[in-house]
């Protein structure tokens, strides 16, 4: 499926990058908010992209949400799928790709290895709510080093180590470094590669991986469920010589999506979606076309927003089986959850929210990526809830900010006790990670008066057109561009 489009790809990538810079989607997450004069843009103006690092979001709470919210392709599937393109000389075509800062950041990283990314333009009859189609060609890998300044901006970019060493026999990838939601080491990823015959050295903050004679199949037993570890093992094992068995594999739907795509590319993977995956290595992979599955975390986030404000919203394209545990919790709160042919309908009319007891867990448990949003919702419940976080030890950065809006939350180790209050009141807030930021948006939608959410670049990393989607359902929300 090689198509010889190399130089066109490069030009298109450069043009796309430039235009995204113009509209601010590149943002500079590391730089943080910058001072500057405010300029208000209406959220529902049809603006397609997110904003620069200094943008803020203003919300006036109290409006019910009614209408339809289209659910985008999953960020956490798109990233490993893009990385999987490094495994083949041929073109990988991904459909339903969300327009997110993390996707653009990964394009930059892949571009550094010599990968060309073509983002298809609009076609007649295209639905503006549909994700984009991108063509990724790693025909010539010109550099097997992923430098610190690129990897440190996004942890998932460390995963390039697996396809690079599997295809090229070597890779030098910066360790990702600190992270707002916990220490998040990469020891299991390194262990998995070693089990497949990769020699690993750590030098100057870099992981240097070598497998001059290629990878060989092996048995990988993860001591703890790891999504990134499972992606890494799958990609590496696909091109290894012999059979690999992955035990205690992550069962997250995004792992299944990556395995499906790899199988379309010629890999021989069975058992993805269970905790035991078997990969029969093949000599080479080829191009394929694959549509990214819907984002279950975006789905759960908007479902909680509707539960928070009351109203009736269809989450279009959402698939209930991707977040059943979260939907069950929402049903316990008294929110109506109805799967339909088009997606999932969420409604709550007038009733109080019942409190819940929830512990985060790997899939199919309640996802850590919805913990902050649930906490925001429970801050208005009629009673006391407990939420225990078991995946990341430091994922409670939203607690202090929710308190600024009037939430009553006490932390004891990994458990938060949330005493529901009758009313929240708007305030200026900011957050340190993506899911924490969106929990503040949910709280603000029900708070009296105005909330200004600062550091919007976190939201732009993972939510496509957030303010647009909410404004179309009646929320008083707007982006303020600096
Ligand atoms: N862990 C280790 N060593 C490792 C790898 C992981 O100790 O080598 C630990 C982590 O510290 C954590 C646990 O294992 O305590 C699980 O981490 P995992 O490897 O599953 O996380 P990840 O692959 O780095 C992905 C998502 C996260 C999501 C987690 C858990 C992507 C790009 N990221 O991270 O998503 O929270 O799985 O489901 O897929 C987000 O989207 O906001 C986000 C943080």
């Amino acid at each position: 499926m090689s198509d010889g489009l190399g130089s066109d790809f490069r030009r298109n990538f450069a043009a796309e990058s430039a235009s995204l810079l113009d509209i601010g989607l590149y943002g500079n997450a590391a730089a943080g908010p910058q001072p500057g004069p405010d300029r208000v843009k209406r959220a529902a103006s049809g603006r397609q992209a997110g904003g620069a690092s200094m943008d803020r979001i203003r919300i006036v709470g109290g409006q019910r949400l009614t209408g339809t919210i289209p659910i985008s392709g999953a960020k956490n599937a798109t990233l490993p799928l893009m990385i999987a393109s490094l495994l083949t000389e041929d073109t990988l075509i991904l459909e339903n790709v969300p327009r997110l800062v993390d996707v653009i950041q990964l394009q930059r990283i892949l571009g550094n290895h010599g990968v060309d990314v073509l983002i298809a333009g609009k076609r007649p009859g295209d639905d503006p709510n549909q994700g984009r189609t991108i063509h990724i060609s790693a025909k010539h890998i010109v550099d097997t080093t992923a430098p610190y300044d690129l990897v440190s901006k996004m942890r998932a970019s460390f995963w390039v180590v697996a396809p690079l060493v599997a295809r090229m026999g070597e890779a030098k990838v910066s360790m990702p470094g600190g992270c707002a939601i916990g220490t998040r080491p990469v020891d299991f990823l390194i262990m998995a590669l070693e089990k497949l015959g990769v020699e690993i050295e750590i030098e100057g903050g870099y992981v240097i991986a070598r497998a001059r004679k290629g990878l060989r199949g092996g048995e990988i037993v993860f001591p703890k469920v790891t999504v990134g570890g499972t992606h890494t093992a799958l990609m590496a094992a696909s091109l290894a010589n012999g059979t690999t068995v992955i035990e205690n594999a992550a069962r997250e739907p995004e792992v299944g999506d990556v395995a499906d795509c790899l199988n379309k590319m010629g890999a021989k993977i069975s058992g993805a979606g269970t905790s035991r995956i078997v990969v029969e290595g093949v000599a080479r992979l080829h191009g394929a076309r694959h549509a990214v599955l819907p984002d279950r975390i975006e789905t759960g986030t908007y479902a909680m927003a509707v539960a928070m404000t009351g109203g009736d919203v269809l989450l279009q394209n959402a698939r209930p089986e991707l977040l059943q545990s979260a939907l069950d919790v929402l049903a316990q709160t008294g929110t109506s959850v109805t799967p339909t042919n088009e997606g999932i309908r969420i409604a709550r009319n007038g009733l109080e929210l019942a409190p819940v007891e929830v512990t985060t867990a790997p899939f199919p448990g309640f996802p850590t990526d919805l913990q902050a949003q649930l906490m925001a919702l429970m801050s208005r419940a009629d009673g006391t809830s407990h939420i225990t976080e078991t995946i990341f030890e430091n994922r409670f950065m939203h607690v202090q900010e929710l308190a600024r809006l009037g939430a009553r939350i006490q932390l004891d180790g990994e458990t938060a006790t949330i005493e529901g209050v009758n009313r929240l009141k708007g305030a200026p807030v900011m957050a340190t990670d993506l899911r924490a930021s969106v929990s503040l948006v949910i709280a603000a939608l029900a708070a009296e008066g105005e909330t200004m959410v600062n550091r919007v670049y976190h939201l732009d990393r993972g939510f496509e057109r957030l303010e647009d989607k909410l404004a179309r359902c009646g929320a008083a929300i707007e982006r303020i561009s600096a």
Side-chain angles (χ1 to χ4, degrees), residues 75-77 79-80 155-156 159 181 183-190 224-229 231 252 296-297 368-369 390-393 395 433-435:
K75 168 181 84 79
N76 288 349
L79 301 177
R155 285 187 55 82
W159 302 344
I181 62 173
T183 48
R184 299 178 84 187
V186 289
D187 51 339
F188 301 156
L189 284 67
I190 290 174
K224 182 175 179 183
V225 174
T226 159
V227 173
H231 286 318
E252 269 64 6
R296 65 194 166 102
I297 305 302
T368 173
D369 290 344
T390 66
I391 310 289
F392 294 114
E393 80 275 16
R395 207 172 198 183
D433 79 81
L434 167 61
R435 311 304 176 186

Side-chain angles (χ1 to χ4, degrees), residues 15-51:
E16 171 76 9
S17 306
S19 67
L20 287 167
L21 265 173
D22 287 341
I23 58 175
L25 190 53
Y26 254 162
N28 180 358
Q34 306 287 319
D38 284 347
R39 193 170 77 237
V40 176
K41 284 191 183 167
R42 293 296 316 160
S45 63
R47 191 175 143 126
Q48 292 289 305

Side-chain angles (χ1 to χ4, degrees), residues 345-362:
R345 196 174 144 203
I346 304 288
R348 188 173 73 79
N349 291 309
L351 295 174
E352 294 284 353
L353 283 164
V356 294
E357 306 281 318
V358 168
T359 298
T360 62

